[in-house]
Amino acid sequence: MFHRILIANRGEIAVRIIRTCREMEIETVAVYSTADAGALHVQLATESVCIGPAKAADSYLDMSAILTAALETGCDAIHPGYGFLSENAEFADLCEKCGLKFIGPSGDVIRAMGNKAAARALMQREHVPVVPGSDGPVSGPDQAAEIAGRIGYPVLLKASSGGGGRGMRRVDAPEDLHALYAAAQAEAVACFGDGELYVEKLILRPRHIEFQILADSQGNVVHLGERDCSIQRKNQKLIEESPSKALDPELREAMGRAAVAAAKAAGYQSAGTVEFVLSAEGEFYFIEMNTRIQVEHPVTEFVTGLDLIREQIRIAAGLPLSVRQEDVRQDGCAMECRINAEDPRAGFRPGPGTTEFLHLPGGPGVRVDTALYNGCVLPPYYDSLAAKVIVHAPTRLEVIRKMRRALEELIIEGYPTTADLCHLILHQPDFVKGKYDTGFLEQHMDELLRWDCEGEA
Ligand code: ADP
């Protein structure tokens, strides 16, 4: 087993990883930018190293600074968390070259899954259902138009190297295609340095269903069930839950099998996520594979009783999975609300600042993953995730009730957050019934904010 792990990340996920390392009696090295000198992950780690100024490009994305820190502090592995360098194939390769185990899949697998058009083509060959569209990338707008004409509008133009909803455009009619193609391509070049696009049919009102998988170096692959992440704003997830109300046991079984096949086709190792869209008619289609631990992983940890960070570390150390597929439990229901430092009343404008007062919820079945503490500063340079509130109960209705009361206990003063919006969603009748799709938030936003005003009056 590893002796010392460097955590190439910050915020709640760095804290989360340190917690498991301590339970496994593995020492940790935190890296931090000058803006994070007082951050919780720095205080909790065995040792810490400042790797540069506030700007992520000069610190959390600086590969040589991070590798140097790992070597100088005697680490034998690096955990990248999510975001930053977690899906950077070059970084994974460099870690291995430096004799440091990268806790994640190999650079080659990251590269293969990072090109979404190529990943899609691979899944097609392996008979994993993909959304109807182009076979790999398109050569230009004319070919995109030809394919769109064949599969029917509306379609999505997507960047092969895309992520976070960037480089993606919905096209409703042939006359709009050329202009939207140029816009998607320009955004893809600006964000990812790669203007390659592919075409997918737009599935109307789908649910976003993803399967957590684990794969070890001995060829064992299991899935840990699904997460329904359909409550999204501009492709950013806000509330996630497991199990999904949209899946019956047969569909779960079929999607789980497809997720395992996808992971095997990719030659995957570590924890990963296979994302699908599920149409209103119950057809599911692969959209992409995420080769990292995800923000919403605690939902799966609650229902399965597994520690996914521990599994990742064990896999990286060459140990076999600690579960077989037939031993995987899906016990009760779990839900996560993302508490972002954003103002839903001002177009979700991020509002970093000082945490003037903090009170976190507790009690049975409540977990809070956060790096916040009273008085801590939330710097403006990074993502706006301030805390995750996760709850677990035997039934979905109990989960909803528990989440409501957990959010009622939560107090964060100093900046606006998405906590109240999540609380309102937990009272929306369609949400309570589990009848929602990825269009839910856009459709109900005005109604929810109106309720809020009525509450204050
Ligand atoms: P990114 O990697 O940029 O987040 P994804 O391919 O994962 O892009 O898509 C982001 C979101 O967009 C998904 O969660 C889903 O809600 C929606 N989406 C993606 N592909 C389709 C599709 N073909 N039809 C309908 N919605 C889609």
Side-chain angles (χ1 to χ4, degrees):
M1 189 34 76
F2 304 118
H3 162 67
R4 223 169 208 233
I5 296 177
L6 179 137
I7 294 135
N9 217 299
R10 62 179 301 284
E12 68 86 18
I13 192 64
V15 170
R16 165 73 192 86
I17 297 163
I18 292 170
R19 285 181 171 146
T20 286
C21 288
R22 287 177 76 153
E23 289 171 16
M24 295 177 80
E25 299 183 326
I26 298 170
E27 292 179 353
T28 51
V29 174
V31 291
Y32 63 98
S33 72
T34 49
D36 275 337
L40 187 62
H41 75 287
V42 176
Q43 299 175 44
L44 291 180
T46 316
E47 204 177 316
S48 61
V49 181
C50 181
I51 47 164
K55 241 176 82 192
D58 302 325
S59 49
Y60 297 106
L61 291 172
D62 184 338
M63 298 191 227
S64 64
I66 292 170
L67 291 167
T68 305
L71 293 171
E72 281 181 353
T73 53
C75 290
D76 39 19
I78 296 194
H79 197 305
Y82 54 67
F84 295 125
L85 296 170
S86 61
E87 290 178 289
N88 186 310
E90 187 192 346
F91 183 64
D93 287 342
L94 282 174
C95 287
E96 301 297 327
K97 275 201 191 114
C98 294
L100 296 158
K101 186 74 197 163
F102 178 79
I103 302 177
S106 70
D108 287 344
V109 170
I110 297 175
R111 216 168 273 119
M113 292 298 108
N115 185 310
K116 291 162 66 171
R120 195 183 132 78
L122 173 69
M123 295 309 155
Q124 256 173 319
R125 283 200 294 283
E126 299 291 326
H127 308 291
V128 174
V130 300
V131 189
S134 56
D135 298 328
V138 290
S139 55
D142 292 335
Q143 198 196 1
E146 186 260 308
I147 290 164
R150 188 152 38 81
I151 60 176
Y153 289 85
V155 297
L156 275 178
L157 299 173
K158 286 182 161 185
S160 293
S161 302
R166 299 284 188 84
M168 198 152 97
R169 288 291 184 283
R170 173 185 172 145
V171 189
D172 286 284
E175 57 271 24
D176 303 334
L177 191 133
H178 278 76
L180 289 166
Y181 192 98
Q185 190 168 45
E187 192 170 290
V189 170
C191 296
F192 314 109
D194 172 14
E196 191 178 272
L197 302 183
Y198 63 105
V199 181
E200 265 182 18
K201 189 165 178 64
L202 181 84
I203 306 299
L204 293 172
R205 316 210 55 126
R207 289 177 87 120
H208 173 113
I209 307 286
E210 58 184 35
F211 273 71
Q212 177 69 51
I213 64 107
L214 289 177
D216 66 19
S217 56
Q218 279 104 71
N220 301 304
V221 184
V222 300
H223 77 80
L224 305 181
E226 78 279 12
R227 293 183 291 258
D228 191 325
C229 311
S230 304
I231 304 295
Q232 306 180 347
R233 179 187 166 266
K234 299 213 165 135
N235 298 321
Q236 301 293 323
K237 299 160 188 169
L238 185 64
I239 299 180
E240 303 99 344
E241 64 174 316
S242 185
S244 169
K245 282 281 272 182
L247 269 56
D248 59 22
E250 292 82 65
L251 186 53
R252 178 169 300 112
E253 166 86 27
M255 293 182 79
R257 233 180 300 119
V260 168
K264 284 188 172 157
Y268 202 79
Q269 263 183 50
S270 191
T273 300
V274 183
E275 294 192 337
F276 298 99
V277 282
L278 176 69
S279 74
E281 295 75 38
E283 302 285 345
F284 66 89
Y285 307 99
F286 169 88
I287 50 170
E288 68 166 335
M289 177 153 192
N290 292 316
T291 57
R292 55 162 195 272
I293 192 75
Q294 284 194 271
V295 174
E296 58 272 25
H297 76 276
V299 168
T300 301
E301 293 188 322
F302 254 151
V303 293
T304 61
L306 291 166
D307 176 336
L308 296 186
I309 302 293
R310 185 168 184 274
E311 292 301 319
Q312 281 191 304
I313 294 171
R314 284 174 49 94
I315 293 166
L319 295 171
L321 297 184
S322 51
V323 276
R324 293 173 305 178
Q325 189 67 61
E326 54 269 35
D327 300 330
V328 173
R329 287 181 297 124
Q330 275 204 283
D331 174 25
C333 300
M335 186 178 284
E336 172 180 279
C337 286
R338 296 194 192 191
I339 312 304
N340 298 325
E342 293 168 0
D343 186 355
R345 307 192 145 280
F348 292 84
R349 187 179 55 215
T354 300
T355 312
E356 275 151 21
F357 182 79
L358 178 71
H359 176 77
L360 299 178
V366 176
R367 165 176 169 182
V368 182
D369 280 20
T370 184
L372 293 185
Y373 57 84
N374 262 305
C376 80
V377 175
L378 217 56
Y381 312 102
Y382 316 110
D383 73 8
S384 57
L385 184 66
K388 310 187 304 205
V389 178
I390 314 105
V391 305
H392 183 216
T395 65
R396 186 166 183 275
L397 204 54
E398 287 164 287
V399 157
I400 290 174
R401 290 210 185 106
K402 196 183 279 285
M403 184 63 92
R404 288 178 185 165
R405 81 97 177 132
L407 295 181
E408 282 155 17
E409 283 177 36
L410 174 72
I411 306 172
I412 301 177
E413 281 173 11
Y415 38 82
T417 74
T418 51
D420 288 349
L421 176 63
C422 288
H423 190 251
L424 290 168
I425 294 171
L426 292 162
H427 290 81
Q428 207 285 337
D430 289 334
F431 180 82
V432 173
K433 286 183 224 155
K435 290 205 299 200
Y436 60 82
D437 54 53
T438 54
F440 174 91
L441 205 54
E442 202 180 2
Q443 195 188 339
H444 292 288
M445 197 59 200
D446 290 346
E447 170 199 339
L448 293 168
L449 291 182
R450 236 181 2 254
W451 283 6
D452 202 14
C453 293
E454 283 160 13
E456 278 164 18

